[in-house]
Amino acid sequence: MDVDDGEAKLAKAPTPVTIVTGFLGSGKTTLLKHILSGDHGKRIAVIQNELAAESGIEAPGTTGVTGPNGEVFADWVELANGCVCCSVRDDLVSALEVLVKREGFDSILIETTGLADPGPLASIFWLDDALDSALQLDAIVTVVDSKYCMQHLDEEKKPGEANECARQIAFADRIIMNKTDLVPAGDLEKLLQRVRSINPEAPLQQAEYSRVALEAIIGVGAFDMEQAASLLASHEREEAGVGAGEHGHGHGHSHEANGHGDCQICEQQDDEKRKLHARHGDRVGTVTMTIAGELDLQKVKEWLGNFLWEEQGRLGMETYRYKGLLSIHGEDRQYVLQGVHDTFELEPGPTKKPSSGAASKLVFIGKSLDDAFFKTQWKALVKQPV
């Protein structure tokens, strides 16, 4: 190999990786079958985190492939359209390293088991140095079974126990509402509202038989710093600017006060929500905030470390996904924050900080997140004038 070849290899863009998650029977495997058999002209590798015989992909027909540590992956399928399918049970990192060495793939898809938390999988791409340069996490795609999703979300959970279905929706960068043809229009609308209440940020696409355009799940760039910064910069969210005595709930009804001056309908709906949360145990939602002023970078790092690694558990909160575009004191460019569970990146981004009216935009998605707590805590991170 000459010097030019070596430089070209070093300059090669990392291969995007998409994590496909969803509850049992949601249609993940059907989605992958469409991709593996499609005439899209792309060479895609699919890794199933369970045995192919159990998950529905055709049985392997090739000899084993040896991994970097001598392990043998027997379940590799070479398909006619140039795609590759592999089934693994445990050593996902080794399987990914095999694909990195083979090269030539346009994209890699990882299908999780039905009850899997996609967070630890996503963290691999930040924590494993061998994968960090060759692969880049592209997006987490959640396939939702529209017929049974509400039933799963309504399952009673023990105190402190996560609702897996709600958690998978919360993690998503893209949501595919599958089997919409099996749900009456009125029920579907209620389900869409429920899903939106858990994750209002992820673009949502309705589907039948898991048929969606390849572009809907590949090349999303959800973890790309430039795209994340651009999305947050353009996604202006006005904090409620409602006058005294008015409600900012957006319920779409007129407000009739009871004897205490409170809206009876709002009071009844809030009470129903409290009962719903107590019964379901999911309480998964989003905190979105805009913090005026410039943040103190050291305080931000200390807060993130302290909250994510120590305090959130004590406070009964669980953070799934979060992102932010931060205006940092003394820095010309805004910083981009991206994180999954307790693993995060905070780096200078591509956008310049405004010369006046600096502010930071943040989105946290998780379980039992306290809106007032986050806003108070982050306002305290603003750099005060000397």
Side-chain angles (χ1 to χ4, degrees):
M1 181 178 69
D2 59 28
V3 176
D4 290 339
D5 289 339
E7 291 178 350
K9 187 173 182 179
L10 289 173
K12 184 178 181 296
T15 303
V17 179
T18 301
I19 296 174
V20 181
T21 189
F23 221 63
L24 297 166
S26 61
K28 302 188 301 296
T29 302
T30 303
L31 172 66
L32 296 180
K33 282 182 177 179
H34 292 323
I35 293 171
L36 289 172
S37 60
D39 185 19
H40 40 63
K42 293 185 180 294
R43 192 158 185 257
I44 299 172
V46 171
I47 296 179
Q48 294 182 287
N49 217 13
E50 51 192 335
L51 288 181
E54 296 173 357
S55 58
I57 296 290
E58 61 257 50
T62 65
T63 57
V65 174
T66 302
N69 299 315
E71 61 275 79
V72 176
F73 297 97
D75 301 344
W76 289 83
V77 185
E78 296 281 357
L79 301 169
N81 63 354
C83 295
V84 170
C85 179
C86 164
S87 299
V88 297
R89 272 200 183 275
D90 299 310
D91 205 343
L92 177 62
V93 171
S94 293
L96 287 168
E97 288 176 350
V98 169
L99 291 175
V100 167
K101 288 184 176 181
R102 294 183 67 165
E103 295 187 338
F105 291 104
D106 297 301
S107 185
I108 298 174
L109 302 182
I110 302 174
E111 179 190 4
T112 70
T113 55
L115 297 177
D117 175 356
L121 279 180
S123 299
I124 288 175
F125 299 94
W126 286 329
L127 300 178
D128 193 289
D129 292 336
L131 298 178
D132 186 49
S133 59
L135 303 176
Q136 181 177 26
L137 186 59
D138 185 53
I140 298 174
V141 176
T142 297
V143 183
V144 173
D145 184 340
S146 298
K147 185 175 182 181
Y148 294 108
C149 180
M150 193 71 84
Q151 175 182 321
H152 295 318
L153 291 174
D154 287 347
E155 288 178 0
E156 293 187 16
K157 295 291 180 181
K158 297 177 182 178
E161 186 176 319
N163 183 297
E164 294 87 355
C165 185
R167 182 167 56 186
Q168 290 173 348
I169 292 170
F171 269 108
D173 298 298
R174 293 289 186 274
I175 300 173
I176 298 174
M177 300 296 299
N178 194 31
K179 306 181 185 179
T180 53
D181 54 316
L182 303 180
V183 184
D187 292 342
L188 180 60
E189 182 58 33
K190 291 179 182 177
L191 175 60
L192 294 175
Q193 291 178 6
R194 181 78 177 274
V195 169
R196 274 277 165 256
S197 73
I198 296 171
N199 186 342
E201 303 295 320
L204 185 152
Q205 183 167 352
Q206 299 183 35
E208 299 176 11
Y209 302 102
S210 299
R211 294 189 182 278
V212 295
L214 192 63
E215 295 76 20
I217 62 172
I218 290 179
V220 171
F223 288 84
D224 177 79
M225 186 175 293
E226 289 195 15
Q227 289 206 39
S230 176
L231 177 64
L232 284 162
S234 63
H235 188 44
E236 296 287 349
R237 284 182 167 273
E238 295 182 2
E239 291 191 285
V242 186
E246 298 177 359
H247 290 264
H249 305 320
H251 292 325
H253 59 257
S254 59
H255 296 267
E256 299 177 5
N258 58 18
H260 302 289
D262 298 321
C263 171
Q264 291 175 308
I265 298 176
C266 286
E267 190 178 64
Q268 181 181 356
Q269 290 182 349
D270 289 342
D271 186 55
E272 288 174 353
K273 286 181 180 178
R274 284 191 291 271
K275 291 178 181 177
L276 188 72
H277 289 159
R279 187 172 76 249
H280 297 161
D282 55 25
R283 287 160 40 198
V284 175
T286 302
V287 172
T288 303
M289 53 187 171
T290 300
I291 305 298
E294 297 183 334
L295 299 173
D296 185 310
L297 181 58
Q298 187 58 36
K299 287 185 177 180
V300 168
K301 291 178 178 178
E302 290 175 357
W303 186 92
L304 287 168
N306 185 54
F307 175 76
L308 294 170
W309 300 332
E310 297 179 17
E311 289 297 305
Q312 65 172 329
R314 184 182 64 80
L315 296 170
M317 304 184 200
E318 186 176 0
T319 308
Y320 298 151
R321 288 290 305 276
Y322 44 99
K323 57 186 70 175
L325 189 60
L326 312 183
S327 292
I328 301 295
H329 178 74
E331 299 288 343
D332 293 332
R333 295 188 175 277
Q334 292 180 304
Y335 273 54
V336 177
L337 168 67
Q338 295 200 84
V340 174
H341 277 320
D342 61 358
T343 305
F344 67 90
E345 286 184 330
L346 179 61
E347 300 290 343
T351 58
K352 285 190 175 182
K353 185 173 62 179
S355 56
S356 61
S360 300
K361 299 180 178 66
L362 298 111
V363 178
F364 286 82
I365 302 177
K367 182 166 71 74
S368 303
L369 302 185
D370 187 315
D371 186 271
F373 168 84
F374 275 88
K375 290 177 179 177
T376 300
Q377 292 280 305
W378 277 83
K379 286 177 181 177
L381 304 180
V382 174
K383 183 76 174 181
Q384 301 300 322
V386 178

